[in-house]
Amino acid sequence: MSEQPTTRTSTNTAGWPLGLAGVALVIIGSFLSWSFDASILGDLSINLYPGSLQILAIILAVLALILLLAEKGPLQSRLGQWLDATLGLRALGIMLTVYMVLVLIAISVESDGLINVNPGGYVSLVGALLILVSSRLLPLRQLHDLSRARLPGWFEILAIALMMAAVLFGAAYALGLTDAWSFVLCLVFIAGVIAALFRTGTMSWFGHVAQRHKKVLTLAAFVVAFFFPFTQGGSDANMSIATQVLIFAATAMGLNIVVGLAGLLDLGYIAFLGSGAYVAAMLSESAFATIDWHPPFPVVVLIGACVAATLGLIIGSPTLRVSGDYLAIVTLGFGEIFRLAMFNLDGINGPLLTNGPNGIPGIPELQIGNFNFGDEHTVAGLELGRFSNYYFLLLILIGFVILVFARLNDSRIGRGWVAIREDEKAAEAMGVNVFGLKLLAFAIGAFLAGLAGTIKAHQDVAVSPDQYIFLESAFLLAAIVLGGMGTIAGVLLGATILKLLPEKLRFFSEYRLLLFGLLLVLMMRFRPEGLVASRRRQLEFHEEDEELAVAIESELVEEAK
């Protein structure tokens, strides 16, 4: 395939030595003390012994140095014709400057004033500003299209392995941060690296590599997920967050069938998760369980999922004749009806099934055969607690959900759902069974949510109506919109962000919803198709972008070959 070079214009070349000076100042400043107070931000008060946040600044500076050498230096002949070094340097300069400004703000807030900022912090800030200025002075040159670069297969597989390893250690490090300011600065660092990868074209190339080695990428992702508990040092707090993320992601994946593929706006989806959880609770051996029958857990899973699917059919049959805003209102009402029904099935206002507002507490730990999920286990000298046990079970569940979604998406049924989402009338005119496929989407989505609910009940050891409010449905929908409707990786990423950030940013408890809303507004403005968008969604939101249409068409032709 022919390369499509990008036209660049030349400007002032004095930015290169200025950038080198900026890199040197950032590194020198990071080896100096940033803070007078040793008790904040992981102790940044020691000269010649960088703390973890100072090491992150050094890493950003080293990445900037690599881009500078690719622009004009020993790496120019190897990387300069492919990497969009100037644009990548601009992204790094912006994020490094933001990073250093936030460091100074954090030190000022945590230790009562800028007077506690030591000279090293200001030196690194000046260095970041110099890198930013130099990126604006460097010339923009004509480059080859990096996404078309083909390297040996072993190198591409190695790139996938390194990327997955970086994800594993990055997630382990971020979750290990208990200080809110340190976590925010870590997010800025990650955002800076990702922005640089996108701006240089590296992520575009990696996307093509991932398409060529889908099985390797999938296997690497599950290997990383499997080894994640072994990086947490037996921390129940972090593994509790991880299990909640997996439950949230599995549920969001089911909703992704309804919203992302079929285009049906469901605002009461949390009810299907709740129905599975209540079935597991009522059939458990809890002292407060209301049904005197305790089948094995695999049977409970199937019953809970089938009950949720039945509710999906019940709500779908009379309401799927409507669409758009009317469907959203009906599903919103169903979510509230479910919650209120759980309040009233208390033996007074209705049959004794849910114990009303008290819910069903004291749900025992899962036990499959002789394996009790509440027991601690030692593997390779590392302690794995109860949350790690549930994590591995949920990992199997999320693998099953992803398999179902992927198979449906590539099937005739999936194409029918997409046709309905694009134009329901046109799909019906072409012979698509619109009502039947809508009903099937509701039933399958509810079935998958019910599966997750049966595990959630045991992991939480209690269920109550207050766990299944409208806000939870809104968060599930937001995860799909944020990550990218109709995609697997996007939903997983969106669910992780929306479940992880509230847990780690409790320092901003009064402003968490404000930050959440601001994030969605920015997404709708700058990337409405989501963080990981499908090609179809990209074209829907950027119809005027002819270059994007040509690029996607060429990708499809390449994959067809």
Side-chain angles (χ1 to χ4, degrees), residues 322-353:
V322 299
S323 59
D325 298 339
Y326 300 102
L327 178 61
I329 292 172
V330 171
T331 55
L332 173 61
F334 169 69
E336 288 301 297
I337 289 171
F338 172 81
R339 186 175 65 85
L340 294 175
M342 296 303 101
F343 271 113
N344 289 301
L345 297 178
D346 57 357
I348 299 175
N349 300 301
L352 178 59
L353 292 175

Side-chain angles (χ1 to χ4, degrees), residues 375-522:
D375 295 338
E376 293 187 355
H377 300 85
T378 302
V379 179
L382 298 173
E383 293 290 335
L384 298 178
R386 68 179 297 270
F387 290 108
S388 296
N389 298 331
Y390 283 103
Y391 174 89
F392 289 121
L393 178 62
L394 288 166
L395 200 58
I396 296 174
L397 172 66
I398 198 75
F400 172 75
V401 172
I402 289 174
L403 178 64
V404 171
F405 181 88
R407 293 298 185 185
L408 287 173
N409 191 23
D410 296 334
S411 68
R412 182 178 179 182
I413 294 174
R415 291 193 293 273
W417 283 333
V418 172
I420 293 171
R421 188 192 71 197
E422 298 298 321
D423 193 323
E424 183 175 326
K425 297 298 182 183
E428 189 172 13
M430 294 301 294
V432 175
N433 185 355
V434 173
F435 179 76
L437 286 181
K438 281 184 175 182
L439 202 58
L440 183 62
F442 254 76
I444 294 177
F447 183 90
L448 297 178
L451 289 177
T454 57
I455 299 177
K456 177 178 171 58
H458 288 273
Q459 194 259 326
D460 290 345
V461 303
V463 293
S464 65
D466 292 334
Q467 292 176 294
Y468 307 103
I469 58 177
F470 164 71
L471 189 60
E472 295 297 323
S473 293
F475 268 81
L476 286 168
L477 183 61
I480 296 173
V481 174
L482 177 64
M485 287 192 286
T487 65
I488 295 174
V491 172
L492 294 177
L493 179 60
T496 302
I497 291 174
L498 291 186
K499 203 65 180 179
L500 177 62
L501 291 186
E503 293 293 335
K504 300 300 290 187
L505 297 181
R506 292 188 179 276
F507 174 79
F508 303 102
S509 57
E510 297 181 1
Y511 305 100
R512 280 189 296 171
L513 286 180
L514 175 63
L515 294 175
F516 166 68
L518 180 61
L519 176 63
L520 288 182
V521 169
L522 292 175

Side-chain angles (χ1 to χ4, degrees), residues 3-4 70 177 281 288 291 325 353 418 432-433 519 523 541:
E3 296 171 351
Q4 298 177 355
L177 296 173
F288 301 92
I291 296 179
D325 298 339
L353 292 175
V418 172
V432 175
N433 185 355
L519 176 63
M523 282 297 303
F541 285 101

